[in-house]
Amino acid sequence: MWRSLLRTFASAPSTTIKPPSSPSPTLSHLCSSREYSVKSNKAVVTKAKKGKSKSDAKSDTSSYSVSAADEFDDEDVRARRLAEDESDRSLDVGPNGRPLFTSTPSLSQLSRTDTCTYMKFSMEELNAVLPEGLPLGMVKEFEDSKQTALLVRRSFLDLRDNFRRIVDPPLQSFDAKDSKVRKQIVLDGPVSCGKSIALAMLVHWARDEGWLVVYVPNGREWTHGGVFYKNRQTGFWDTPMCAGLLLFDFLKYNESRLQQLSCKISDPIPLGEGAGVGWMKGVDSMPMPEGSTLYDLIQTGVTHTHAAVGVLVRLRKELSLVKDIPVLLAIDQYNNWFTFSGYEEPVTVRSCRPVHARELAMVNAFRSMMHNDMMVGAFSHSTAVGKLRKDLPDVPADARINFTRYNLDEAASVCHYYLRQRLIRREAFSEEGWKKIFYLSNGNGSEMRWLLPFMR
């Protein structure tokens, strides 16, 4: 509703009050001036309506209906026109007349020549290959653009090729600036720079290649919410509901592969307190039958809430022993595992002690990067946990990689894509205009998407 109001009043002729001379406008100045424009215009419209006759009111109503049908105010009209545009390939033009969309059919076949183009997906495909859920930034991009397409960025190709060279050492990127191969990577960078989307695309690519991938799109859920209990056997805190959900999600895409992998560890599974059902009487472990597969192991944790956390911890050890197929651990919101959780332990009648994330059994099993397994974690600064130190415990010193926001070439493709998707009026689109918005937002994708429709 606010976006419609902003567009309506931004496009209406009105007197403007020139502010005193000052440096280049900032985002806060722009937002405050828009808010003032909306309020003042709304007051003028209200006063004008009071002195009009019934016939004038009818004419105003009809004119309002026409303006409401405009595609920039009516999402249904915009969606219908976008459907009509699908058959018009002359609209799929990017900066300098280059193709806006890539014709490469898969993430595996993307090359450097596909950089700054968009790749189309289908929701059925994404939901099938990412059953754990899509990142919120990706969902918001699809909703606003009304197209399931993502920008091919150089940073993603570098990330993909890094792990590709681990599995296939002779394969080298022909123009890679950094030839060093890292098995453990931490993606860091400012808010809305595309870390979560790049991680989801990496998981998509790895699963297309036949890899076994543990994907955690919401690492914060491991440290907040749900029931938690102190395990008297391990000394760690168990979160059985969270463990059961992860095991269930892990089965959705990897079921057939897990049925082919035998368990290497035959020790009994330690039990804990079940979610809302307490401890099992007289039993503190559950044996795994000889010849069990990883699928059988996970099913045990899904069906027995007392064993959920123990099975998940055991699964982490089993994955390190898998040699038949590549295994990748992909954790989003990874920074939430280096600070205090949302749980507290009662100390006295009137005081509680905050429980650190490292004291949780699940986090303790998966957080460390001091191993030989392939693992990538992405920081999420939208779930702010405070500033973390540069050298994190259990993380290699050279693991952190800075993920940047859009550069000028990427921003050009993004703006032409939003023009193609009717988020920008063609008569208002100009190179000077989108560059101003790019510099104003400092390459922040979500801010650019919000500001571009108001280009004048």
Side-chain angles (χ1 to χ4, degrees), residues 134-334:
L134 305 181
L136 292 179
M138 184 184 294
V139 174
K140 182 63 176 174
E141 170 76 15
F142 293 163
E143 289 178 351
D144 289 348
S145 65
K146 296 192 179 299
Q147 173 74 273
T148 52
L150 296 172
L151 181 68
V152 179
R153 304 184 65 186
R154 171 67 179 269
S155 50
F156 162 71
L157 297 180
D158 290 341
L159 182 66
R160 179 204 64 180
D161 291 344
N162 173 82
F163 289 101
R164 175 184 277 175
R165 293 199 300 271
I166 296 174
V167 177
D168 190 3
L171 179 64
Q172 296 292 332
S173 178
F174 61 87
D175 62 345
K177 294 181 180 179
D178 186 4
S179 59
K180 181 178 180 180
V181 174
R182 295 178 173 88
K183 279 195 171 183
Q184 299 83 30
I185 290 178
V186 175
L187 299 179
D188 196 2
V191 178
S192 297
C193 67
K195 300 181 295 293
S196 297
I197 293 179
L199 184 65
M201 293 177 69
L202 179 69
V203 173
H204 191 326
W205 165 78
R207 286 177 170 172
D208 287 346
E209 293 290 299
W211 294 18
L212 189 63
V213 182
V214 178
Y215 178 42
V216 182
N218 298 296
R220 189 176 187 275
E221 292 183 354
W222 287 34
T223 59
H224 292 74
V227 295
F228 61 102
Y229 309 106
K230 187 71 170 286
N231 192 312
R232 60 195 179 200
Q233 296 188 71
T234 63
F236 290 101
W237 292 85
D238 290 349
T239 49
M241 289 181 61
C242 184
L245 289 173
L246 178 71
L247 293 171
F248 181 75
D249 288 339
F250 187 54
L251 277 179
K252 290 179 181 178
Y253 188 83
N254 304 292
E255 181 175 341
S256 60
R257 293 176 179 82
L258 294 171
Q259 290 175 344
Q260 301 170 3
L261 299 173
S262 301
C263 293
K264 306 296 184 182
I265 304 174
S266 57
D267 297 339
I269 303 296
L271 301 180
E273 190 170 351
V277 295
W279 293 87
M280 293 185 68
K281 294 183 179 180
V283 181
D284 59 2
S285 64
M286 179 178 294
M288 287 299 299
E290 186 178 352
S292 297
T293 63
L294 292 186
Y295 175 80
D296 300 326
L297 174 67
I298 295 174
Q299 279 289 6
T300 300
V302 171
T303 55
H304 299 87
T305 181
H306 300 87
V309 175
V311 165
L312 188 62
V313 174
R314 175 65 55 81
L315 175 65
R316 176 66 189 93
K317 299 177 181 178
E318 289 282 2
L319 291 175
S320 295
L321 303 176
V322 174
K323 305 301 179 184
D324 298 334
I325 58 176
V327 177
L328 175 66
L329 308 178
I331 316 297
D332 202 358
Q333 301 177 0
Y334 184 58

